[in-house]
Amino acid sequence: MSEFKFQPRWKEELVVTGSGGSFILELPMGILSAYLPTEKVWVQKAPSWAKDLYPELKNELEVWCKENKAKFVIDETAGVY
């Protein structure tokens, strides 16, 4: 069962919804790419309810990217809003 739901938004944003709420990751459209910070940065930027869910988020986002022909990028400068 999936922990997260992914919904692209027109502002080059990927809305990620989980059991505790939602947050936004970067989703540039030039070359469709989903950006996730490194795990070290994640625990600093993530909403409190999602801090311990990085492994599940990473795995589910990778699957979503494959299914949607998007590039999956882990970058320490990636934003979480």
Side-chain angles (χ1 to χ4, degrees):
M1 190 166 140
S2 294
E3 185 82 36
F4 295 99
K5 179 182 167 202
F6 303 99
Q7 181 65 48
R9 211 160 61 175
W10 64 275
K11 292 182 177 181
E12 299 193 337
E13 298 172 339
L14 183 62
V15 179
V16 183
T17 305
S19 60
S22 63
F23 55 89
I24 295 172
L25 298 176
E26 299 171 43
L27 186 70
M29 299 289 185
I31 296 175
L32 188 61
S33 308
Y35 283 78
L36 182 66
T38 61
E39 189 166 7
K40 182 179 177 183
V41 172
W42 173 255
V43 295
Q44 298 166 3
K45 292 184 172 183
S48 58
W49 63 268
K51 287 188 188 297
D52 296 335
L53 298 175
Y54 186 87
E56 293 89 344
L57 173 60
K58 180 181 175 286
N59 290 338
E60 291 182 27
L61 185 55
E62 268 185 298
V63 169
W64 184 88
C65 285
K66 286 178 187 169
E67 290 173 351
N68 290 276
K69 297 177 176 51
K71 186 176 173 185
F72 177 62
V73 181
I74 295 178
D75 183 332
E76 66 182 19
T77 64
V80 179
Y81 311 99

